[in-house]
Amino acid sequence: KAGVTQTPRYLIKTRGQQVTLSCSPISGHRSVSWYQQTPGQGLQFLFEYFSETQRNKGNFPGRFSGRQFSNSRSEMNVSTLELGDSALYLCASSLAPGAVGGEQYFGPGTRLTVT
Amino acid sequence: AQSVSQHNHHVILSEAASLELGCNYSYGGTVNLFWYVQYPGQHLQLLLKYFSGDPLVKGIKGFEAEFIKSKFSFNLRKPSVQWSDTAEYFCAVKYNQFYFGTGTSLTVIP
């Protein structure tokens, strides 16, 4: 079974631009979460989607947004990029929010560098 | 806000030494607990998980963790580490969403 895939893997953008990252979950998984990973900060939760609806949102500004499609694929968008947005953005999928065990499976991430 | 604390930020051990990484969380209700590992250049993968039953859970590669509810802790242990265990380890707690600790970087010296 294919794992979680994320595209692109690497991205370099300039301050003020916007970016869209994509995530395809494991087949059959309907819940997708996004995280920002930076050294020393660990994984900061951005948001979680299930059945095309945002279930939870982390403490990030409104410049960070996301959506989920009917095939469970998800995108996140960051507008008006700032230098501090440079990070590894991780996508994780799981069967459903309330599934027993409920572990998440992570993709390789998209490395975003803002210059 | 809920939080997950990993007390050790950097740990350096020699091969065959024993390992214990601390993890404490703040939520007092029912939680699911996880340890994830990120090997250099690889993505996060599940090491072990607890959601009910025996509080001592065993994971892959000889790792185990003990859930102590009264202490809000879920410490990771391994009796004898190997060079290949060099990685970053993350504790995570889930109740309505996942909360991750800031990670512990483990370096094992051959």
Side-chain angles (χ1 to χ4, degrees):
Chain A
K1 190 184 261 191
V4 178
T5 58
Q6 292 186 246
T7 56
R9 293 292 311 279
Y10 302 92
L11 209 48
I12 300 175
K13 289 287 189 178
T14 305
R15 273 179 301 175
Q17 289 186 313
Q18 76 164 19
V19 66
T20 299
L21 311 182
S22 181
C23 170
S24 292
I26 292 171
S27 177
H29 285 195
R30 296 167 60 201
S31 177
V32 173
S33 296
W34 289 90
Y35 297 87
Q36 181 193 67
Q37 184 180 12
T38 54
Q41 294 292 315
L43 278 72
Q44 302 292 311
F45 173 75
L46 281 155
F47 22 68
E48 179 186 13
Y49 286 89
F50 175 69
S51 292
E52 302 177 66
T53 301
Q54 187 180 88
R55 289 190 73 248
N56 289 298
K57 188 177 191 305
N59 189 26
F60 278 82
R63 301 185 295 107
F64 292 81
S65 62
R67 58 179 176 167
Q68 186 180 34
F69 302 95
S70 58
N71 61 358
S72 295
R73 193 176 68 83
S74 177
E75 289 181 347
M76 66 162 280
N77 184 278
V78 188
S79 62
T80 320
L81 284 166
E82 299 177 0
L83 294 178
D85 296 334
S86 294
L88 181 67
Y89 289 88
L90 295 171
C91 170
S93 78
S94 60
L95 282 169
V100 174
E103 62 265 36
Q104 293 186 327
Y105 295 83
F106 284 83
T110 294
R111 173 75 62 187
L112 172 64
T113 302
V114 182
T115 63
Chain B
Q2 305 309 321
S3 65
V4 179
S5 299
Q6 291 185 240
H7 317 296
N8 318 97
H9 297 293
H10 300 280
V11 174
I12 301 174
L13 295 172
S14 297
E15 274 193 320
S18 64
L19 170 73
E20 180 159 5
L21 301 182
C23 173
N24 286 89
Y25 60 95
S26 60
Y27 182 67
T30 301
V31 294
N32 293 346
L33 300 159
F34 306 82
W35 276 96
Y36 282 86
V37 60
Q38 190 171 34
Y39 296 104
Q42 298 186 27
H43 54 246
L44 277 158
Q45 56 185 282
L46 182 68
L47 204 51
L48 49 76
K49 65 181 180 184
Y50 169 83
F51 55 93
S52 68
D54 189 343
L56 183 63
V57 292
K58 297 190 183 300
I60 60 171
K61 304 186 181 184
F63 285 91
E64 64 179 32
E66 184 175 15
F67 169 51
I68 303 179
K69 190 174 182 179
S70 61
K71 295 184 178 180
F72 300 92
S73 72
F74 190 55
N75 293 353
L76 181 71
R77 299 194 293 248
K78 185 171 184 179
S80 175
V81 295
Q82 300 173 313
W83 175 79
S84 58
D85 294 325
T86 294
E88 188 137 19
Y89 293 81
F90 293 91
C91 178
V93 174
K94 177 191 172 189
Y95 64 98
N96 66 336
Q97 69 180 57
F98 271 80
Y99 295 87
F100 281 82
T102 52
T104 297
S105 174
L106 171 66
T107 301
V108 179
I109 301 169

